[in-house]
Amino acid sequence: TLLLLAAAVVLQATAAEDELNDDDEGGVPVDQMKEEFVPSKFVEPKLSGEVTKDATVHMWEYFRGRGGIIGKTWLKSKAKKDGVEAEISKYNGEWEIGSPSEVSIEGDYSLVVKTDARHHAIASKLAKPFSFADGKPLVMQYEVRFEEGQNCGGGYVKMLSEGAEKAMEEFNDKTPYTIMFGPDKCSPSGKIHLIFRYKNPKNGTVSEHHARQPDSISSSYWDDHKTHLYTLTVKPDGAYTVAVDHKSLYYGSILKDVTPAIEPPKQIADPDDVKPADWDDRAEIEDEAATKPDDWDESAPKEIVDESAQKPSDWLEEEQPLISDPKAEKPEDWDEDMDGEWEPPMIENPACVGLSGCGEWKRPTIKNPAYKGKWRRPKMANPAFKGVWAPRQIDNPAYFDPSESPLAGLQPVTALGIELWTMSKNIMFDNLLISDSEAVAKEAAALTYDIRKAEDARLRSSKGEGAGLFSGLVDAAEEKPWLWAVYVLAVILPIIGIAIFCFGRKSAPDAPDVAYRKKYDVPTADDDEAPGLVDEDGEEVHEDEAAVQAEVVKQLEKGAESSFQFQKRRTSSKSPGRKAAPAASGKKKSVREQIEVR
C-alpha cells in the first residue's frame, strides 16, 4: 500500500509536469497552451431565510462596494496610543476598500490595510448587540489574507464591549473588549489568539484569560498569500472551538482551558496579617565567635609570576609578532584630509612562524599557593530560627463558582474593531459575521469563502501553479506537520523492501537432499526420467525424492558392506583365546530402516 502511495505521488507530479510542458506536433508554446483566465462575477451572498428564521445575525459585512463604507459604517480611529513615542503614537495607518492584486472574482472587495509600520484602528457598530445572557452560542467568522506574508503583526479582531459603540473614533488599544480572536505573528511561530475578558461578579474587576494554544500552528496561514477562514464558536456551557478553513484547530472550555483560570482561589493570604517583629526567618547566621586565623594573609595576590619559567631557546625578542603588510598599497581614492594618514594593514610576521614567539618575553603567571582571599565568618545554624513566615489564609471575598453560568462574566458585544500594528501591508479582511447560529456561519462560508477558494485555485491553475496531488499532500503537511513522517515512511519503507528483496538474500546452506545430489551425482529433473516408486507405507514418492532415496540407499549399502568386511578382518586378527561378542538379539534392520533412524 505504501509503495502504491509513493508511486501515485510521483506519477501524479510527473503527469502534471508533462501536461504543462508537452507541446503537440505543431510546437505550440506552453504559455499559449494555458487557458486564458476570466474572473467570475461577484454574486451578493444573501443568507437564506431557512437558516436565519431561528437565528440572529448581529453583523454580516461583505463590503458591497468601494464607496460609502469607510467613514460611514466603518470609522477610523483618531485616538493616540499611550506609552509610546509621539511620532508613532497616532493611529495613522491607512485603510481602503479594494481588491486583491490578482482578481479571481470581479467586484469582490475587502477591507485592506494599506500601510506598514503604523498603528491601525477601525471599528463598526453591530446591527444588534450580542448578549451572553440570552443563552445562545456566539459564532464569529471572518477571512484574512496576508498578500505579502507577515513578518510581525496581527490579523485579529476585537469584539468590543458595551459602551464602545458610543465613541468608535476614540477606539484604541485600551478600549474594553469582550473577546479578541484571530491570527498574530511576531516570531517564527504564530498564534491564533482567543482571549476572554471576564468580569468578576463579586468585586467587578475585569481580567484577561488566554485560551491554550496548540503545540504547533501551520506557518502557511501567514506565508502562503492565500485567503483563510477563521471561525470561533462559544457555546452557553463555556465550550469553545477555533477552526481554520473548516478544520478544527483547537477546542476547550472557558472553565478549565484558559490561563489564568476563571475560577478564583477559594482562599487567599490575609492582606492585614503582618509578620511579628520578633520573627526570625533566617535559617543560618554568621558565627560571631569565629575569629580570623593569625596566618590568614588577605593581601596575598591570587596569581604570582612563575620564577622557574625560562625563555624558550627559539624566542626572537628582536622581532615583532605583527608587521606592516609590505604588499599593501594605498587605495587610489584615499583622501588624507578626510580619511587621515594611511597605514598599511598588519600581518603575522613570517619570521615568527613555527617559533615559540616573538617580541618582549615575560614570565607567565601561575596560581598563588598562598592565596586565601578575604576572610569571612563561617555560617552556623540559627538557634532562633522559627521557619519561613507566611500570612494566614482566609476565605477569598472575591471567590465565585463560574460553573453555574460560565459566560455570565462576559460583557455584551456592541461593535467589532480591528486594532493592530503590522510590518506588512495589504492585509485583507472580508466577510465578517457575528451570529448565534452555526448553520448561518456554514452557509455564509459556502457563499463566500468556498467560492473564493475555488476561484483562486482556478486562477492558480491557469498559471500552472498549485495543481496536482503533490501540492495537496504538501498543503496537508503544512497544517499537520506529523504527516511528513508518514510521507517519509511511505517512501523509505518500499525502498528498503525492494533492496532486501533484490540484494539482501544470502545463499542458504545446502539442504540434505541437495548435498546428496552433489556428492553422489544424483539425477535431477532435467536428467533421464526416474521410475515411479512407493515408500514402505505404499504412498507414492515423487521423482526427485525417489531418486535421492534410491541413491542414498545404494551408497549406504555399499558403506555397510565395506564396514562388514573391515570388522570381519579385525575380529579374525585378534587373540584366539578371546571369545567373540555374542550377536545382537532381534531382527536385523534393513538399510532403509537405518536411514529413517538416522
Side-chain angles (χ1 to χ4, degrees):
T1 301
L2 295 177
L3 181 58
L4 292 175
L5 174 61
V9 172
V10 175
L11 291 174
Q12 177 71 13
T14 305
E17 183 177 357
D18 291 342
E19 184 178 354
L20 290 174
N21 294 288
D22 185 25
D23 54 352
D24 295 334
E25 295 180 359
V28 181
V30 173
D31 292 340
Q32 294 182 18
M33 292 176 61
K34 298 173 184 175
E35 181 181 354
E36 182 180 357
F37 178 79
V38 178
S40 61
K41 299 292 184 180
F42 174 71
V43 177
E44 189 171 348
K46 294 183 179 180
L47 300 172
S48 67
E50 183 178 351
V51 298
T52 59
K53 64 180 180 179
D54 297 324
T56 301
V57 179
H58 299 265
M59 171 179 275
W60 178 220
E61 178 63 85
Y62 48 86
F63 305 105
R64 297 168 179 81
R66 291 181 178 272
I69 295 179
I70 296 180
K72 293 185 179 180
T73 56
W74 285 83
L75 301 180
K76 292 194 296 183
S77 174
K78 298 178 181 178
K80 290 185 178 181
K81 193 177 179 74
D82 294 334
V84 297
E85 298 177 6
E87 57 268 21
I88 60 171
S89 64
K90 294 181 180 180
Y91 284 94
N92 58 351
E94 297 179 9
W95 298 87
E96 179 183 281
I97 304 300
S99 302
S101 57
E102 294 183 332
V103 177
S104 63
I105 304 177
E106 187 176 344
D108 190 5
Y109 301 112
S110 304
L111 178 63
V112 187
V113 175
K114 295 301 294 182
T115 49
D116 56 10
R118 295 188 189 182
H119 292 289
H120 302 75
I122 194 168
S124 181
K125 184 179 178 180
L126 268 60
K128 179 183 178 181
F130 180 94
S131 176
F132 294 92
D134 294 338
K136 294 185 177 182
L138 167 72
V139 182
M140 198 285 147
Q141 180 172 275
Y142 72 108
E143 299 171 16
V144 177
R145 178 174 183 166
F146 297 96
E147 277 226 309
E148 299 182 3
Q150 180 61 282
N151 295 320
C152 182
Y156 47 81
V157 297
K158 292 181 177 180
M159 285 164 262
L160 304 181
S161 303
E162 188 174 24
E165 78 283 359
K166 299 176 182 179
M168 289 193 296
E169 290 187 340
E170 297 301 318
F171 173 43
N172 59 68
D173 60 319
K174 299 295 192 297
T175 300
Y177 65 87
T178 299
I179 296 177
M180 188 176 106
F181 168 60
D184 187 21
K185 179 186 177 185
C186 216
S187 62
S189 59
K191 295 181 178 180
I192 308 299
H193 282 301
L194 176 55
I195 305 173
F196 299 95
R197 293 185 80 248
Y198 204 94
K199 184 177 181 179
N200 187 308
K202 292 296 184 71
N203 58 14
T205 59
V206 179
S207 53
E208 291 185 356
H209 303 268
H210 296 242
R212 295 174 185 171
Q213 295 284 308
D215 294 334
S216 61
I217 296 179
S218 173
S219 62
S220 64
Y221 301 152
W222 295 271
D223 301 338
D224 65 3
H225 314 288
K226 298 178 183 178
T227 298
H228 292 283
L229 178 72
Y230 297 88
T231 307
L232 167 67
T233 304
V234 182
K235 296 186 176 181
D237 63 357
Y240 60 79
T241 301
V242 171
V244 181
D245 301 341
H246 296 303
K247 299 174 184 176
S248 176
L249 181 64
Y250 64 89
Y251 57 89
S253 171
I254 194 173
L255 296 176
K256 59 182 180 180
D257 296 309
V258 296
T259 304
I262 294 289
E263 182 179 359
K266 292 184 177 181
Q267 289 196 322
I268 60 171
D270 185 355
D272 298 326
D273 191 16
V274 294
K275 184 172 70 173
D278 61 346
W279 189 282
D280 194 341
D281 55 5
R282 298 173 299 164
E284 292 183 332
I285 58 174
E286 290 185 353
D287 184 1
E288 297 294 339
T291 57
K292 184 174 71 173
D294 296 335
D295 61 347
W296 193 285
D297 185 4
E298 292 185 348
S299 62
K302 191 173 184 178
E303 292 184 338
I304 58 175
V305 175
D306 185 4
E307 298 295 341
S308 63
Q310 296 183 355
K311 183 176 70 174
S313 59
D314 61 344
W315 191 282
L316 299 179
E317 285 192 304
E318 64 276 10
E319 295 286 345
Q320 295 300 318
L322 297 176
I323 61 172
S324 298
D325 185 358
K327 298 181 180 179
E329 297 181 356
K330 183 173 69 173
E332 296 180 358
D333 59 349
W334 188 274
D335 187 343
E336 293 193 354
D337 294 333
M338 297 290 294
D339 303 324
E341 183 180 358
W342 181 81
E343 295 181 356
M346 304 297 286
I347 61 171
E348 185 179 359
N349 190 343
C352 301
V353 175
L355 302 180
S356 299
C358 292
E360 182 182 1
W361 181 81
K362 295 181 180 180
R363 286 187 173 86
T365 58
I366 59 174
K367 291 182 178 181
N368 184 1
Y371 172 76
K372 294 185 176 181
K374 184 176 178 62
W375 182 82
R376 292 180 176 83
R377 286 186 173 88
K379 295 283 186 178
M380 59 174 289
N382 183 5
F385 176 62
K386 293 184 177 181
V388 178
W389 183 86
R392 63 175 173 267
Q393 297 290 299
I394 62 173
D395 291 339
N396 184 0
Y399 173 78
F400 68 97
D401 184 0
S403 61
E404 297 179 1
S405 183
L407 306 183
L410 298 179
Q411 299 303 295
V413 177
T414 57
L416 184 70
I418 304 173
E419 184 270 326
L420 51 86
W421 164 275
T422 176
M423 294 302 295
S424 302
K425 57 186 178 180
N426 291 329
I427 303 173
M428 312 188 76
F429 295 83
D430 202 0
N431 301 316
L432 300 108
L433 171 74
I434 296 179
S435 178
D436 56 9
S437 169
E438 294 181 69
V440 169
K442 184 177 181 180
E443 181 172 288
L447 295 173
T448 55
Y449 170 75
D450 293 349
I451 294 175
R452 183 198 297 273
K453 182 178 180 181
E455 291 303 296
D456 286 350
R458 189 169 66 90
L459 172 60
R460 291 193 300 273
S461 179
S462 70
K463 299 165 57 181
E465 300 174 359
L469 175 62
F470 184 77
S471 177
L473 293 174
V474 173
D475 291 343
E478 283 292 331
E479 295 180 6
K480 299 178 180 179
W482 56 267
L483 284 175
W484 286 115
V486 176
Y487 297 163
V488 170
L489 292 176
V491 175
I492 291 180
L493 289 182
I495 294 175
I496 293 175
I498 293 172
I500 293 175
F501 181 79
C502 296
F503 309 109
R505 300 178 63 185
K506 295 182 179 180
S507 298
D510 289 338
D513 60 334
V514 178
Y516 281 118
R517 292 173 189 269
K518 293 181 178 179
K519 183 174 182 180
Y520 300 116
D521 194 23
V522 177
T524 58
D526 57 351
D527 291 331
D528 293 338
E529 203 173 87
L533 299 174
V534 295
D535 60 16
E536 293 183 356
D537 295 329
E539 295 182 357
E540 184 179 355
V541 179
H542 295 292
E543 292 181 359
D544 289 348
E545 184 181 353
V548 173
Q549 291 186 7
E551 186 63 26
V552 171
V553 169
K554 180 179 178 181
Q555 297 299 330
L556 286 176
E557 287 177 343
K558 289 182 180 179
E561 182 66 24
S562 299
S563 176
F564 174 75
Q565 294 296 336
F566 174 75
Q567 185 66 24
K568 182 177 180 182
R569 289 195 301 271
R570 182 180 178 186
T571 303
S572 61
S573 64
K574 291 185 179 294
S575 172
R578 182 175 178 179
K579 295 182 179 180
S585 62
K587 182 181 178 180
K588 181 180 179 181
K589 293 183 178 179
S590 67
V591 175
R592 185 176 298 278
E593 289 174 337
Q594 295 179 40
I595 294 174
E596 292 175 353
V597 171
R598 294 185 185 186

